[in-house]
Amino acid sequence: MNYTKEQILARCNEFSKNTLMETLKIEYIDAGEDFLIAKMPVNPSVHQPMGLLHGGASVALAESVGSAASFFFIDPKEQEVRGIEISANHLKSIREGWVFGTAKIIHKGRSIHLWEIKITDEAGNLISLCKLTNMVLDKKKTE
């Protein structure tokens, strides 16, 4: 990565405007050589009917943080990232507070990035464990 932590966080939070990430109030809060962390509030706007964090909201957090992390391993002028597969195991429920998605790189190839994303609560309890595969594509040349 050729970016400072501050540049990574500012860029992630900026490109989240007017997207699902903004709707879910996802905020990128920490970054390093091989990880990116974002947080999301747990409140009725992300609940399923039983008043618990919706699994789809957890997956949206996981894909958001894993896809954003891949962006910093590519040349954004020449390449782009597409999530091609995500799996999630929901292990614990939560009704309120914050969840944190921590994406850590498992494999960084030229065309495939594999991420493990742990969704935890404020006490560090594992809520969901996700795996995301991203494909790195060359941008189409415009004339």
Side-chain angles (χ1 to χ4, degrees):
M1 268 192 238
N2 297 323
Y3 304 94
T4 68
K5 173 181 163 176
E6 293 74 21
Q7 289 172 319
I8 291 169
L9 298 176
R11 182 106 188 232
C12 288
N13 287 313
E14 179 61 30
F15 68 57
S16 294
K17 291 185 176 171
N18 300 313
T19 68
L20 178 65
M21 287 81 76
E22 183 176 62
T23 300
L24 296 177
K25 296 183 176 38
I26 293 171
E27 178 185 357
Y28 296 89
I29 59 169
D30 199 7
E33 286 291 317
D34 65 346
F35 74 93
L36 181 62
I37 301 174
K39 68 178 184 176
M40 180 178 72
V42 179
N43 56 45
S45 70
V46 294
H47 282 170
Q48 42 93 309
M50 300 300 292
L52 302 169
L53 175 63
H54 193 291
S58 294
V59 171
L61 172 60
E63 186 159 1
S64 297
V65 73
S67 293
S70 274
F71 182 80
F72 293 97
F73 289 121
I74 66 168
D75 176 354
K77 292 178 182 157
E78 301 291 326
Q79 300 169 304
E80 52 194 15
V81 173
R82 295 285 186 277
I84 59 172
E85 182 178 13
I86 189 163
S87 65
N89 293 97
H90 305 298
L91 306 168
K92 188 173 173 61
S93 57
I94 182 173
R95 291 184 184 277
E96 60 184 14
W98 291 88
V99 286
F100 301 85
T102 301
K104 291 192 176 182
I105 191 79
I106 295 170
H107 172 76
K108 182 179 67 169
R110 286 189 317 268
S111 60
I112 296 288
H113 295 170
L114 179 62
W115 294 92
E116 175 188 76
I117 302 100
K118 291 184 178 178
I119 309 293
T120 58
D121 64 14
E122 293 167 282
N125 297 308
L126 186 60
I127 304 299
S128 297
L129 180 61
C130 305
K131 184 177 72 172
L132 172 67
T133 306
N134 289 328
M135 181 172 34
V136 178
L137 299 170
D138 290 331
K139 285 187 175 178
K140 295 187 190 239
K141 305 288 183 196
T142 57
E143 296 181 50

